[in-house]
Amino acid sequence: MNAHHNRSHPLPLPPTNRESPDFKDGDVDDPATGYSAFPGNVNNLLVKIPSYAAVLAGPDQGVVDEFVNPKYKDDTRTTFKKPTRLECMMQDLPLLLTKQLGSEAKVGFTTMQRWLTFSPAKNDPGAGADSAAKGSPPGSPSSAEADFYSAYLSILGAASGASIERAEPVSKLGIPVTLMPAIVLEPSFALTSEEVGEKFKGGKISSRSTLVVEGAGVEIEDLELDGALVIKAGPGVMLSVKGLKVQNEGWAFTDDPDAPEEEIRIRGYRVTKGETMEIVVTEPGSYTVDSTGAVQKA
């Protein structure tokens, strides 16, 4: 069963289940596992368009029940954190599919680790810091950005066999985040873990490094990176990077909580770009990059 927390939250709490020996103390962590018996999760929905269109054209026209889900300021539940609004639950869509399509509705789910699926940027820095202090994901712009980089680290480490050193968390506006090394593998370079493994093999990346890779024709082998490296290959460019060694000043995430730009202020820092090796090739053809970063046409 997948239920929204506003429906499931009251169930295990006394006195609702006071007579239940399993939940007489309410929703407390299982001493054997350290986890709640009522775990929460995040959901990403994938819907087959023809089935969705059929439901929209059905008797309910895709409409599900609405409800009020207040967000309270604290545990006294007497003051709203923000204006309450009407909402509807994504969990009702599978029920509507089943209701209208019957046996033709194929509804299921796949459970994945959180880092593979979802990291929202929905909270302001203050709310994010409060959430982090309670042991929950901050859900802030800074934590979402950090999770973005961390996901690439996990994929790259598992798929390529590269040795990647992770930095220690730092505090940004009271929110602990791990921003380094910052790795961005553009969709033009690779869309899947399998593609990453085919195009990126071995190497070492230090904890203070930044790496940006763009271009379908890029292949990287035995890269040693301690600093900042940007590789961009245009359409029709085949770029083989083997044994490249990079050591430079690199980039840093510099505190700037009072920045005039809102997109900087909500994070509490800006990217300060220091010395960077940039390898940019736009003319179609085959190229190699040697250990010093020199580009030669094959």
Side-chain angles (χ1 to χ4, degrees):
M1 181 183 74
N2 190 340
H4 192 275
H5 64 83
N6 81 308
R7 291 185 177 179
S8 61
H9 180 68
L11 296 180
L13 301 178
T16 305
N17 286 314
R18 192 184 299 279
E19 298 178 0
S20 170
D22 293 327
F23 308 118
K24 60 182 175 61
D25 296 322
D27 183 10
V28 297
D29 292 342
D30 182 341
T33 65
Y35 295 105
S36 167
F38 300 88
N41 68 299
V42 295
N43 297 291
N44 298 305
L45 300 186
L46 300 176
V47 184
K48 187 178 180 181
I49 295 300
S51 300
Y52 186 48
V55 168
L56 293 179
D60 292 314
Q61 296 187 318
V63 176
V64 297
D65 291 336
E66 294 177 325
F67 69 102
V68 174
N69 183 25
K71 303 294 193 298
Y72 294 104
K73 195 170 185 179
D74 53 40
D75 292 338
T76 64
R77 299 170 70 86
T78 57
T79 306
F80 292 135
K81 179 186 295 186
K82 51 189 172 183
T84 301
R85 62 189 186 275
L86 283 175
E87 299 181 23
C88 57
M89 294 187 291
M90 65 171 66
Q91 290 86 349
D92 282 344
L93 179 58
L95 297 177
L96 189 60
L97 287 166
T98 303
K99 173 185 175 183
Q100 295 195 5
L101 300 181
S103 61
E104 294 182 8
K106 306 298 182 184
V107 178
F109 70 92
T110 300
T111 301
M112 302 180 184
Q113 294 182 38
R114 180 185 174 91
W115 70 268
L116 276 168
T117 59
F118 185 75
S119 182
K122 63 178 183 177
N123 291 329
D124 61 52
D130 290 342
S131 184
K134 296 176 183 177
S136 299
S140 67
S142 58
S143 66
E145 182 172 5
D147 288 345
F148 182 81
Y149 299 142
S150 180
Y152 275 129
L153 291 179
S154 297
I155 292 170
L156 186 59
S160 71
S163 174
I164 303 175
E165 181 184 10
R166 296 198 180 221
E168 293 297 320
V170 295
S171 179
K172 301 295 184 182
L173 298 179
I175 300 170
V177 290
T178 303
L179 293 164
M180 302 291 279
I183 292 179
V184 176
L185 306 178
E186 295 283 358
S188 60
F189 172 68
L191 288 173
T192 66
S193 297
E194 183 178 9
E195 280 188 282
V196 172
E198 291 172 351
K199 295 182 176 183
F200 202 119
K201 295 179 172 63
K204 298 178 181 179
I205 299 175
S206 75
S207 62
R208 67 179 197 89
S209 293
T210 301
L211 173 65
V212 179
V213 184
E214 177 183 324
V218 178
E219 293 185 353
I220 301 172
E221 186 174 341
D222 294 331
L223 168 68
E224 293 186 16
L225 176 60
D226 182 33
L229 171 64
V230 176
I231 299 175
K232 295 183 179 181
V237 173
M238 303 301 295
L239 187 63
S240 176
V241 183
K242 291 186 178 181
L244 175 62
K245 294 178 173 57
V246 179
Q247 186 171 36
N248 54 39
E249 180 186 2
W251 299 1
F253 293 90
T254 307
D255 289 345
D256 195 356
D258 300 317
E261 310 97 324
E262 184 179 18
E263 67 272 18
I264 302 299
R265 199 164 59 249
I266 61 176
R267 289 172 168 83
Y269 58 83
R270 67 171 65 245
V271 178
T272 301
K273 297 182 179 181
E275 183 185 2
T276 307
M277 178 179 286
E278 293 191 64
I279 299 172
V280 180
V281 183
T282 58
E283 183 181 345
S286 296
Y287 300 83
T288 61
V289 179
D290 66 17
S291 63
T292 67
V295 179
Q296 293 183 337
K297 194 164 186 177

